[in-house]
Amino acid sequence: MNKRGFASDNNSGVHPAIIEAISKCNRGHVTGYGTDHYTAQAINEFKKRFGNETNVYFVFNGTGANVLAISTLSQSFHSVICPSTAHIVVDECGAPEKISGCKLIPVHTPDGKLTPELIKPHLHGFGFEHHSQPKIISISQVTEMGTLYSVNEIKAITKLARHYGMYVHMDGARIANAAVALNLPFKAFTVDAGIDVLSFGGTKNGMMMGEAVLFFDKNLSENAKYIRKQSAQLFSKMRFVAAQFLAYFENDVWKENATHANKMAAVLAQKASEMGVQITQKVEANGVFAILDDAISEKLLQEYFFYPWDENRHEVRWMTSFDTSADDVKHFCARLKELLNA
Amino acid sequence: MNKRGFASDNNSGVHPAIIEAISKCNRGHVTGYGTDHYTAQAINEFKKRFGNETNVYFVFNGTGANVLAISTLSQSFHSVICPSTAHIVVDECGAPEKISGCKLIPVHTPDGKLTPELIKPHLHGFGFEHHSQPKIISISQVTEMGTLYSVNEIKAITKLARHYGMYVHMDGARIANAAVALNLPFKAFTVDAGIDVLSFGGTKNGMMMGEAVLFFDKNLSENAKYIRKQSAQLFSKMRFVAAQFLAYFENDVWKENATHANKMAAVLAQKASEMGVQITQKVEANGVFAILDDAISEKLLQEYFFYPWDENRHEVRWMTSFDTSADDVKHFCARLKELLNA
Amino acid sequence: MNKRGFASDNNSGVHPAIIEAISKCNRGHVTGYGTDHYTAQAINEFKKRFGNETNVYFVFNGTGANVLAISTLSQSFHSVICPSTAHIVVDECGAPEKISGCKLIPVHTPDGKLTPELIKPHLHGFGFEHHSQPKIISISQVTEMGTLYSVNEIKAITKLARHYGMYVHMDGARIANAAVALNLPFKAFTVDAGIDVLSFGGTKNGMMMGEAVLFFDKNLSENAKYIRKQSAQLFSKMRFVAAQFLAYFENDVWKENATHANKMAAVLAQKASEMGVQITQKVEANGVFAILDDAISEKLLQEYFFYPWDENRHEVRWMTSFDTSADDVKHFCARLKELLNA
Amino acid sequence: MNKRGFASDNNSGVHPAIIEAISKCNRGHVTGYGTDHYTAQAINEFKKRFGNETNVYFVFNGTGANVLAISTLSQSFHSVICPSTAHIVVDECGAPEKISGCKLIPVHTPDGKLTPELIKPHLHGFGFEHHSQPKIISISQVTEMGTLYSVNEIKAITKLARHYGMYVHMDGARIANAAVALNLPFKAFTVDAGIDVLSFGGTKNGMMMGEAVLFFDKNLSENAKYIRKQSAQLFSKMRFVAAQFLAYFENDVWKENATHANKMAAVLAQKASEMGVQITQKVEANGVFAILDDAISEKLLQEYFFYPWDENRHEVRWMTSFDTSADDVKHFCARLKELLNA
């Protein structure tokens, strides 16, 4: 048996309904590269949720999605303003810079969230050829710190962007967790809030692999298909990612998964907090950040996967996922309590 | 029911044993990004076949594999000598140039195969800073024209490369078809023939997706893991590609699939030939190239998928795959005969 | 005293009037990066010759000019169709691929010149994401083989390009030699013939350094200033290149220089021909290509600089320049004769 | 007559001795691209000052120098740690990211100077493929804030870098100003202090254009010549930059120029300070940073060039140069006083 844990929502397997969908679509020949009817249907499901103007491009993974989104909306002399904790800054080995050629401008935030006030000092040098030209603001929903933007917070950012002729990208690797936490349809806090391009994640919420890049204005996605191919993100047997998304949306699998993951995080945070553990960020989705003595972390790590976050302040990150069980949380907390009381 | 056809070996689905392996590995938590035991086992299977010094990097698709192989072995001021029909030249939307920065030098060949004689005129300018420096020779086995290199032909190329301090990359998107056609172990015509880096394909021979880049000298692959991540080819739930390769090797699924596909191509070529259709390339694996009147092609395309190859000379390409049935070939040939005799 | 020769038109020094202009503009402070009045004046001189809609960007060298032109008109998934002898193919160490990300499609030509017939076989795959999208046709005037396009030949190419929504770039490193050979104003065979962007060379015709990239449609050059800066081609003390162009145009220095260089080439070709030396290309500007026994080349090279061109066929290249003297040609030919008769 | 000013040390012209050297080297033919004897001599002058192991590559401008230095020492998956005020961060339109592919990590500093304490928090993730790998620390001497590193401060940084297998790049656009301010030979605070690669600037201290990239270890510069060519920084008529450097070193023109510029800055700062103007950074070379009411700045700008620096805090920058006269400073200060007292 494998060790279980709270390292990442991608340590989980795949939801059974999605595995089944993969098996089921494995019949006969269909044309490749997204010209099949599974893909057409899956795109349709996205249009139902995000509007008919939505242009959908499936890719393999989150880095591929973010790179496609950014490269399509930018030229190499542009810059991308983003929180210093953004996945595109710290977890993609420089893929956005390498592939788009753009400069990333990392902004320090207390909670992983940009605000107009944090962004404004970086909005200068427009038209001045010595400076990378600010063109994209990139935010994550849920953020890498487990926090959420409200619709109004997003609108404040997209309004600012519009004023400067800039675009807003949302990294939605955990967008399902955001939707259930906000109790809002996807549309409300994306296209309706002024987002231009969205990386819609599936992998971290029970899919095997597969993300979708959604452009909400056809004019913006004109080159996307070439950029997807040139960045090696075009899947030949596309039906196998399309079928996953179909199952993901059918019977609200995505919702069930995300609701459960969020709940497990809330329980975990609540219990840890009751033991006196300091929780450092609001627990708004499926991530919990906590301060833990190194000695305790070390012992806990022998039995459960999780990541240290900020070693200087002894901060750790616990992620829950669709398949975190109530027992997982219970046993983990029991062990934590044991160690704290030792 | 879907239309069947001979368009590409990736129009097929997935071999049942591989679908089953995907379902079976979907249990519990494992760490992500290739640190799991499925991946370790799959790497081991490659080492058994290619030698213990082999360094294995799984990626999503063929373009990703080729780009990783080339980028890892080159600097941007290098050039890559390859047949003008190579996948890296015509089917990757410029990914190799974009991501490695290298110049591709396409060489015209009669049959998709490079030879020392064809390569030598391009081996000049070494040390001359005005010229991209020749560094990689890239060959495909099976070639894009359905032809095969013998072991001696490969050795002649790798010997030449060695002499000039160059590397040889093999695009093995259809390497299984080559191995069964040559009736040789993989090792004999790759590492033992002097190949430095191999794109080992699975997708075109019955896998869902997944290719492996094999470096046969540890010193060459030092940076591969960073380049894989930076080119967005690192799979988080890696077990799902590793498990496919495990099933692919178990019970020689790869061999059974490739043997069948090659046989179907031979039958198809034989029958078409008997009808007087001109076959333009040796049929050595699972591809058949034929000259066909446009009017006939057009009618045939209404019932079967396949690609025009060289429209100027009315050449078409028919690919067979692991799931091409004897009936598929029979009915296709019957219809072809009908049209020819009409 | 330095050895003289026929290696390249950039082995020469600088025309005295241009050296003087450099000294003369060295007075007082002017703002940097092209905001000074010398630059404004020089741009104006270009507008006089190419029309008021011309947008002018000065850069350091020919590679810089070509890269700026190509990068500004393309996206990384585009391809550039050009003769296989083009400077961008063989003499820029892969700079166009590296910086624009585009694929170069080298076309074999007998004389360095593209024609619609040579281009057409490469005009396919539009809209097909697997292929780099043809976007630019690049021609050199004078070509690297010393030959010239007539106005009608250029128009045939630009008309074809327009039909496919493509652009035409002209590498005019030796455009002055072309203008005097054609006895036409610059405008007649560039903007008026449908060229979209021109690399206008000065260095090879008596300037110290400095080239201008001219965009003939404002919409095309929108991003040029950022791309120039990002490709490290923005000169801080811009007046020193602007002043050179002012002197270059004043009193038709450019014309005098190019006329002389062309004449010297004609004389050299004529004399060599009379000695029975085979001249392999039409001598239409300042380059002479000749077949010469290796033994003779070797001896000649001890006294004069020049380059072997195609070693397989014993072809050499002799370039004349603005400061090639009648005596240079006379002595060179005398020595050549001596060697031929030995 | 041109308006004079304190905008940038590149608003000046060229030192007369250097203009003269340009004219003087304009004789006869020499081979191009740096194979001439002027270049050999100039390289030799650098070796005299930096040691025989120094490898010298001339380029056109500062951005070209920095890009060559960084690209040569890095792979695209590396990161470059630098002050947030660095020229490579704010003044090169993203050239380092675009051309090297690397991530830049901008570090906030009070005075433009990195320290081990400021660097250390960014030294993590080594070997972890999700993170750009820290490989280069880049410092400027003089800094963009007009401040200086002592030899010991540099050694502390290079020691830290060595410990982590990293390299240290020095942007020496104003290295002459540093050398005279420190009263040390160039060698003492570069190669002898552990610097690996230096951008040695000439343009900002009285040259027309021309910078040199110095690699202090032959193994590091192996690819530099190809990267220089591929980044369009190889000058064909190289003698014209080499001759400038020869004149720059002869009779210590560089020293005279830099000494004067520094002195003018000191006088300016002293006088402004006496008028009660707040000087925000130590004036250690030729830059003065001051707080000035916007209304006063505006009026002063009508007569003199200079740049606002940080508009939020009303900070301006005044640069002096080799040709700033005592009268320039006197009149400027008189006008400033007038405005302050108005």
Side-chain angles (χ1 to χ4, degrees):
Chain A
M1 203 198 103
N2 296 316
K3 194 159 83 166
R4 294 182 64 86
F6 301 88
S8 174
D9 19 21
N10 60 37
N11 284 202
S12 305
V14 180
H15 190 279
I18 289 169
I19 282 284
E20 201 194 316
I22 288 173
S23 295
K24 266 181 60 184
C25 80
N26 187 34
R27 289 203 195 109
H29 283 189
V30 302
T31 51
Y33 304 110
T35 56
D36 62 288
H37 65 275
Y38 296 99
T39 304
Q41 266 183 271
I43 287 173
N44 203 39
E45 291 300 317
F46 277 100
K47 292 194 173 193
K48 279 191 208 161
R49 284 161 183 80
F50 289 93
N52 257 322
E53 297 307 299
T54 306
N55 292 272
V56 183
Y57 294 83
F58 297 127
V59 295
F60 290 115
N61 63 1
T63 297
N66 290 336
V67 162
L68 174 56
I70 289 170
S71 295
T72 303
L73 263 52
S74 67
Q75 299 269 314
S76 63
F77 53 82
H78 287 143
S79 64
V80 180
I81 299 173
C82 49
S84 61
T85 47
H87 199 268
I88 57 171
V89 175
V90 294
D91 285 313
E92 303 186 353
C93 200
E97 286 97 335
K98 162 74 180 170
I99 299 183
S100 75
C102 290
K103 177 185 285 300
L104 263 56
I105 299 187
V107 178
H108 292 283
T109 68
D111 52 4
K113 290 167 64 178
L114 287 180
T115 63
E117 289 61 43
L118 288 168
I119 295 167
K120 276 177 191 166
H122 300 280
L123 299 180
H124 56 76
F126 290 96
F128 188 54
E129 73 210 274
H130 301 262
H131 287 210
S132 293
Q133 298 292 298
K135 194 68 191 175
I136 297 178
I137 298 169
S138 179
I139 61 176
S140 302
Q141 175 83 318
V142 182
T143 73
E144 288 76 12
M145 305 309 296
T147 54
L148 278 176
Y149 290 89
S150 71
V151 170
N152 281 340
E153 287 170 336
I154 293 169
K155 283 185 175 168
I157 290 171
T158 60
K159 189 182 162 194
L160 181 68
R162 212 66 80 235
H163 180 75
Y164 283 92
M166 297 173 68
Y167 301 121
V168 183
H169 165 243
M170 181 182 277
D171 180 348
R174 295 188 179 97
I175 192 170
N177 305 85
V180 302
L182 292 168
N183 194 23
L184 285 172
F186 291 124
K187 205 168 181 297
F189 61 96
T190 58
V191 55
D192 289 352
I195 295 297
D196 296 291
V197 61
L198 169 66
S199 301
F200 183 101
T203 315
K204 283 177 160 46
N205 192 38
M207 279 179 50
M208 180 186 296
M209 92 287 181
E211 318 276 308
V213 181
L214 312 187
F215 296 89
F216 298 121
D217 174 345
K218 205 167 66 178
N219 298 316
L220 295 181
S221 63
E222 209 183 349
N223 298 325
K225 71 175 181 174
Y226 304 111
I227 296 175
R228 175 173 63 176
K229 176 67 193 178
Q230 197 180 31
S231 54
Q233 288 290 322
L234 179 61
F235 191 0
S236 59
K237 298 185 174 176
M238 188 75 92
R239 61 171 135 170
F240 293 99
V241 77
Q244 289 184 64
F245 273 119
L246 287 171
Y248 189 65
F249 287 129
E250 209 185 335
N251 302 322
D252 285 345
V253 166
W254 68 271
K255 196 179 221 170
E256 174 199 325
N257 283 0
T259 304
H260 179 76
N262 287 4
K263 189 175 155 196
M264 289 299 101
V267 173
L268 172 52
Q270 172 69 20
K271 289 196 179 177
S273 194
E274 286 168 8
M275 295 175 213
V277 171
Q278 186 194 340
I279 305 300
T280 57
Q281 294 286 344
K282 281 197 218 169
V283 178
E284 301 187 298
N286 67 325
V288 180
F289 292 77
I291 303 294
L292 216 59
D293 254 21
D294 290 356
I296 289 172
S297 278
E298 214 171 289
K299 279 175 193 149
L300 207 50
L301 277 164
Q302 289 164 14
E303 294 167 56
Y304 296 91
F305 297 129
F306 60 88
Y307 279 109
W309 190 256
D310 181 340
E311 308 198 38
N312 293 324
R313 52 193 297 235
H314 316 289
E315 191 180 30
V316 299
R317 184 187 79 163
W318 300 322
M319 297 303 298
T320 57
S321 86
F322 85 95
D323 75 347
T324 301
S325 70
D327 269 7
D328 287 338
V329 175
K330 191 172 136 194
H331 294 147
F332 179 80
C333 288
R335 180 63 182 137
L336 175 58
K337 194 166 194 175
E338 213 172 85
L339 290 168
L340 287 167
N341 295 340
Chain B
M1 203 200 103
N2 295 317
K3 193 158 85 167
R4 295 182 64 85
F6 302 87
S8 174
D9 20 20
N10 60 37
N11 284 200
S12 305
V14 180
H15 190 278
I18 288 168
I19 283 283
E20 201 194 317
I22 287 172
S23 294
K24 265 181 61 184
C25 80
N26 188 31
R27 287 201 197 111
H29 284 189
V30 303
T31 50
Y33 303 108
T35 56
D36 63 287
H37 65 275
Y38 295 99
T39 304
Q41 266 182 273
I43 287 174
N44 203 39
E45 289 301 317
F46 277 99
K47 292 195 173 193
K48 277 191 207 160
R49 283 160 184 80
F50 289 92
N52 256 321
E53 298 307 300
T54 307
N55 293 270
V56 183
Y57 294 83
F58 298 126
V59 295
F60 289 114
N61 63 0
T63 298
N66 290 336
V67 162
L68 174 57
I70 289 171
S71 295
T72 304
L73 262 53
S74 67
Q75 300 270 314
S76 62
F77 53 83
H78 287 143
S79 65
V80 180
I81 298 172
C82 48
S84 60
T85 47
H87 198 268
I88 57 171
V89 175
V90 293
D91 285 314
E92 304 187 352
C93 199
E97 286 97 335
K98 162 73 180 171
I99 299 184
S100 75
C102 289
K103 176 185 285 300
L104 261 56
I105 299 185
V107 179
H108 292 283
T109 68
D111 53 3
K113 289 167 63 178
L114 288 180
T115 63
E117 289 60 44
L118 288 168
I119 296 167
K120 276 178 192 165
H122 300 280
L123 299 180
H124 55 76
F126 290 97
F128 187 54
E129 73 211 275
H130 300 262
H131 288 210
S132 293
Q133 298 292 297
K135 193 68 191 178
I136 297 178
I137 298 169
S138 179
I139 61 176
S140 301
Q141 175 83 317
V142 183
T143 73
E144 287 76 11
M145 305 308 298
T147 55
L148 277 177
Y149 290 90
S150 72
V151 169
N152 281 340
E153 288 171 335
I154 294 169
K155 282 186 177 168
I157 290 170
T158 60
K159 189 182 162 194
L160 181 68
R162 212 66 80 236
H163 179 75
Y164 283 92
M166 296 172 68
Y167 300 121
V168 183
H169 165 243
M170 180 181 279
D171 180 347
R174 296 187 179 99
I175 193 170
N177 304 84
V180 301
L182 292 168
N183 194 21
L184 285 171
F186 292 123
K187 205 170 181 297
F189 60 97
T190 56
V191 55
D192 289 353
I195 296 296
D196 296 291
V197 62
L198 169 66
S199 300
F200 183 101
T203 315
K204 282 178 162 44
N205 191 37
M207 279 178 50
M208 179 186 297
M209 93 287 182
E211 317 278 307
V213 181
L214 311 187
F215 296 89
F216 298 121
D217 176 343
K218 204 167 66 179
N219 297 317
L220 295 182
S221 63
E222 209 182 349
N223 297 325
K225 70 176 181 172
Y226 304 111
I227 295 174
R228 175 172 62 176
K229 175 67 194 177
Q230 196 180 30
S231 52
Q233 289 289 321
L234 179 61
F235 191 179
S236 59
K237 298 185 174 177
M238 187 75 91
R239 59 170 136 170
F240 292 101
V241 78
Q244 288 184 63
F245 273 118
L246 288 170
Y248 189 66
F249 287 129
E250 211 186 333
N251 302 324
D252 284 345
V253 166
W254 68 269
K255 198 179 219 168
E256 174 199 325
N257 284 359
T259 304
H260 179 76
N262 287 5
K263 190 176 154 195
M264 291 298 100
V267 172
L268 171 52
Q270 173 67 21
K271 290 195 178 177
S273 195
E274 287 167 9
M275 296 175 214
V277 171
Q278 185 194 341
I279 305 298
T280 57
Q281 294 286 344
K282 281 197 219 169
V283 177
E284 301 187 300
N286 66 327
V288 180
F289 292 77
I291 303 293
L292 216 58
D293 255 20
D294 290 356
I296 290 174
S297 279
E298 216 172 288
K299 281 175 193 150
L300 207 49
L301 277 165
Q302 288 164 14
E303 294 167 57
Y304 297 90
F305 297 130
F306 59 89
Y307 278 110
W309 189 256
D310 182 339
E311 308 197 38
N312 294 323
R313 52 194 296 236
H314 317 288
E315 191 179 30
V316 300
R317 186 187 78 162
W318 300 323
M319 297 301 300
T320 57
S321 86
F322 85 95
D323 74 347
T324 302
S325 70
D327 268 6
D328 288 336
V329 175
K330 193 172 135 193
H331 295 146
F332 179 80
C333 290
R335 179 65 182 137
L336 175 58
K337 196 166 190 174
E338 214 172 83
L339 291 168
L340 286 168
N341 295 340
Chain C
M1 203 198 103
N2 295 318
K3 194 158 85 167
R4 295 184 64 85
F6 301 88
S8 173
D9 21 20
N10 61 36
N11 284 200
S12 304
V14 179
H15 190 280
I18 288 168
I19 282 284
E20 202 193 316
I22 287 173
S23 293
K24 264 182 61 186
C25 80
N26 188 33
R27 287 199 198 114
H29 283 189
V30 302
T31 50
Y33 303 109
T35 56
D36 63 287
H37 65 274
Y38 296 99
T39 304
Q41 267 182 271
I43 287 174
N44 203 40
E45 290 301 317
F46 276 99
K47 292 194 173 191
K48 279 190 208 162
R49 285 162 183 79
F50 289 92
N52 256 321
E53 297 307 299
T54 307
N55 293 272
V56 184
Y57 294 83
F58 298 126
V59 296
F60 289 115
N61 63 2
T63 298
N66 291 336
V67 162
L68 175 56
I70 290 170
S71 295
T72 303
L73 262 53
S74 67
Q75 300 270 315
S76 63
F77 53 82
H78 287 143
S79 65
V80 180
I81 298 173
C82 49
S84 61
T85 48
H87 198 267
I88 58 172
V89 174
V90 293
D91 285 312
E92 303 187 351
C93 200
E97 286 97 336
K98 162 73 180 169
I99 300 184
S100 76
C102 290
K103 175 184 286 297
L104 262 56
I105 299 185
V107 179
H108 292 283
T109 69
D111 53 4
K113 289 166 64 179
L114 288 179
T115 63
E117 288 61 44
L118 288 168
I119 295 166
K120 277 177 192 165
H122 300 280
L123 299 181
H124 55 76
F126 290 96
F128 188 54
E129 72 211 274
H130 300 262
H131 287 211
S132 293
Q133 296 293 297
K135 193 69 191 175
I136 296 178
I137 298 170
S138 179
I139 61 175
S140 301
Q141 175 83 316
V142 184
T143 73
E144 288 75 13
M145 304 309 296
T147 54
L148 278 176
Y149 291 90
S150 71
V151 170
N152 281 340
E153 288 171 335
I154 293 168
K155 282 185 176 167
I157 290 171
T158 59
K159 189 181 162 194
L160 181 69
R162 211 67 79 236
H163 179 74
Y164 284 91
M166 297 173 66
Y167 301 121
V168 183
H169 165 243
M170 180 182 279
D171 180 347
R174 295 186 179 99
I175 192 170
N177 304 85
V180 301
L182 292 168
N183 195 22
L184 285 173
F186 291 124
K187 205 168 180 298
F189 61 96
T190 56
V191 55
D192 289 352
I195 295 297
D196 296 291
V197 63
L198 169 66
S199 301
F200 183 101
T203 315
K204 282 177 162 46
N205 192 37
M207 279 179 51
M208 181 186 295
M209 94 285 182
E211 318 276 307
V213 181
L214 311 187
F215 296 89
F216 298 122
D217 175 343
K218 207 166 64 178
N219 297 317
L220 296 181
S221 63
E222 209 181 350
N223 297 325
K225 70 176 183 172
Y226 304 111
I227 296 175
R228 175 172 64 176
K229 175 66 193 178
Q230 197 180 30
S231 53
Q233 289 288 322
L234 179 60
F235 192 178
S236 59
K237 297 183 174 178
M238 188 75 92
R239 60 170 136 170
F240 292 101
V241 79
Q244 288 184 64
F245 273 118
L246 288 171
Y248 189 66
F249 287 129
E250 210 186 335
N251 302 323
D252 284 346
V253 165
W254 68 270
K255 198 179 221 172
E256 174 199 324
N257 283 1
T259 304
H260 179 76
N262 286 6
K263 189 175 154 197
M264 290 299 100
V267 174
L268 173 51
Q270 174 66 21
K271 289 195 180 178
S273 195
E274 286 166 8
M275 294 174 214
V277 172
Q278 187 195 340
I279 305 299
T280 56
Q281 294 287 344
K282 281 198 218 167
V283 178
E284 300 187 298
N286 66 326
V288 180
F289 292 77
I291 302 294
L292 217 59
D293 255 21
D294 290 356
I296 290 173
S297 279
E298 215 172 289
K299 280 175 193 148
L300 207 50
L301 277 165
Q302 288 164 13
E303 294 166 56
Y304 296 90
F305 296 129
F306 60 88
Y307 278 110
W309 190 256
D310 180 340
E311 308 197 38
N312 294 325
R313 52 193 296 233
H314 316 289
E315 192 179 29
V316 299
R317 184 187 79 163
W318 300 323
M319 297 303 298
T320 56
S321 87
F322 85 94
D323 75 347
T324 301
S325 69
D327 269 6
D328 287 338
V329 175
K330 192 172 135 194
H331 295 147
F332 180 79
C333 289
R335 180 62 182 138
L336 175 58
K337 195 167 194 175
E338 215 172 83
L339 291 167
L340 288 167
N341 296 341
Chain D
M1 203 198 103
N2 296 316
K3 194 158 85 166
R4 294 182 65 84
F6 301 89
S8 173
D9 19 21
N10 61 36
N11 284 202
S12 304
V14 179
H15 190 279
I18 288 169
I19 282 283
E20 202 194 316
I22 288 173
S23 294
K24 266 180 61 182
C25 80
N26 187 33
R27 289 203 195 109
H29 284 189
V30 303
T31 50
Y33 302 109
T35 56
D36 63 287
H37 65 274
Y38 295 99
T39 304
Q41 265 181 274
I43 287 174
N44 203 39
E45 290 301 317
F46 276 99
K47 292 195 172 191
K48 278 190 206 162
R49 283 160 184 80
F50 288 93
N52 257 320
E53 297 308 299
T54 307
N55 293 271
V56 183
Y57 294 83
F58 297 126
V59 295
F60 290 115
N61 63 1
T63 298
N66 290 337
V67 162
L68 174 57
I70 288 170
S71 294
T72 305
L73 262 54
S74 67
Q75 300 270 314
S76 63
F77 54 82
H78 286 142
S79 65
V80 180
I81 298 172
C82 49
S84 60
T85 48
H87 198 268
I88 57 172
V89 174
V90 291
D91 285 312
E92 304 187 351
C93 199
E97 285 97 336
K98 162 73 180 169
I99 300 183
S100 75
C102 290
K103 177 185 283 301
L104 262 56
I105 299 185
V107 179
H108 292 282
T109 69
D111 52 5
K113 290 165 64 177
L114 288 179
T115 62
E117 288 62 42
L118 288 168
I119 295 166
K120 277 177 191 165
H122 301 280
L123 300 179
H124 55 76
F126 290 97
F128 187 55
E129 72 211 275
H130 300 262
H131 288 210
S132 293
Q133 297 292 297
K135 194 65 190 180
I136 297 178
I137 298 169
S138 179
I139 60 176
S140 301
Q141 175 81 319
V142 182
T143 72
E144 288 76 12
M145 305 309 296
T147 54
L148 279 176
Y149 290 89
S150 71
V151 170
N152 281 340
E153 286 170 336
I154 293 169
K155 283 187 176 166
I157 290 170
T158 60
K159 190 182 161 193
L160 181 69
R162 212 67 79 236
H163 180 74
Y164 282 92
M166 297 172 67
Y167 300 122
V168 183
H169 165 243
M170 181 182 278
D171 180 348
R174 297 190 178 95
I175 193 171
N177 304 84
V180 301
L182 292 168
N183 195 22
L184 284 173
F186 291 122
K187 204 169 182 294
F189 61 97
T190 57
V191 54
D192 289 353
I195 295 297
D196 296 290
V197 61
L198 170 65
S199 300
F200 183 101
T203 315
K204 282 178 161 46
N205 191 38
M207 279 179 52
M208 179 185 297
M209 94 285 181
E211 318 276 309
V213 181
L214 311 186
F215 296 89
F216 298 121
D217 176 343
K218 207 166 63 179
N219 298 317
L220 295 182
S221 63
E222 210 182 347
N223 297 326
K225 70 176 182 173
Y226 304 111
I227 296 174
R228 176 173 62 176
K229 175 67 194 176
Q230 197 180 30
S231 53
Q233 289 289 321
L234 180 60
F235 191 178
S236 59
K237 298 185 174 176
M238 188 75 91
R239 60 170 135 170
F240 293 100
V241 77
Q244 289 184 63
F245 273 119
L246 288 170
Y248 188 66
F249 287 130
E250 210 186 336
N251 302 325
D252 284 347
V253 165
W254 68 271
K255 197 180 220 170
E256 176 200 323
N257 284 0
T259 305
H260 178 76
N262 287 5
K263 190 175 154 198
M264 290 299 100
V267 172
L268 173 51
Q270 173 67 20
K271 287 195 180 178
S273 196
E274 286 168 8
M275 296 174 213
V277 172
Q278 186 194 341
I279 306 300
T280 56
Q281 293 287 343
K282 281 198 217 170
V283 178
E284 300 187 301
N286 66 326
V288 180
F289 291 78
I291 302 295
L292 215 59
D293 255 20
D294 289 355
I296 289 174
S297 279
E298 214 172 289
K299 280 176 192 150
L300 208 49
L301 277 165
Q302 289 164 13
E303 293 167 55
Y304 297 90
F305 297 128
F306 60 89
Y307 277 110
W309 190 256
D310 181 340
E311 307 197 39
N312 293 324
R313 54 194 295 235
H314 317 288
E315 191 179 29
V316 299
R317 185 187 79 163
W318 301 323
M319 297 302 298
T320 57
S321 86
F322 85 95
D323 75 346
T324 302
S325 70
D327 269 7
D328 287 338
V329 175
K330 194 172 133 192
H331 295 146
F332 179 80
C333 289
R335 181 62 182 138
L336 175 59
K337 195 166 192 176
E338 216 172 83
L339 291 168
L340 288 167
N341 296 339

